[in-house]
Amino acid sequence: MLHLLLDKKPWFRSKNSGYGSGLPIAWQGWLFMALHIALITGIATLLRDRPAMMTIAIVLAGLAPLPIYRARTEGGWRWR
């Protein structure tokens, strides 16, 4: 099962315009994006009474997986 996550196939399409990743094209991409959204939602729920800490944690959780999105995007990231 681990070999399905370690292969070098792209998980995301490149965007038609702009910079970054588009929608997922593989189940691994959908799973990764769902876990990313769940992580951010969980942080927001757990830290809702501490807005400063919540903001910092959400920004960090939002930026941390960007290298994986970039590495798994078909054609890489560039301005289009």
Side-chain angles (χ1 to χ4, degrees):
M1 180 72 173
L2 187 59
H3 70 282
L4 295 174
L5 296 174
L6 297 178
D7 66 351
K8 295 297 177 185
K9 294 179 185 175
W11 293 352
F12 302 95
R13 265 205 216 294
S14 58
K15 292 176 75 171
N16 290 332
S17 60
Y19 188 75
S21 297
L23 287 175
I25 57 174
W27 69 267
Q28 295 98 328
W30 286 106
L31 177 66
F32 187 74
M33 191 170 67
L35 291 174
H36 190 196
I37 291 169
L39 173 68
I40 292 172
T41 304
I43 289 171
T45 303
L46 289 174
L47 299 175
R48 67 178 171 256
D49 297 331
R50 301 171 71 189
M53 182 69 86
M54 179 178 66
T55 302
I56 293 168
I58 287 176
V59 168
L60 291 176
L63 295 176
L66 288 183
I68 297 172
Y69 282 111
R70 184 177 186 183
R72 295 301 185 147
T73 298
E74 182 179 55
W77 283 7
R78 64 182 174 87
W79 188 260
R80 290 175 175 82

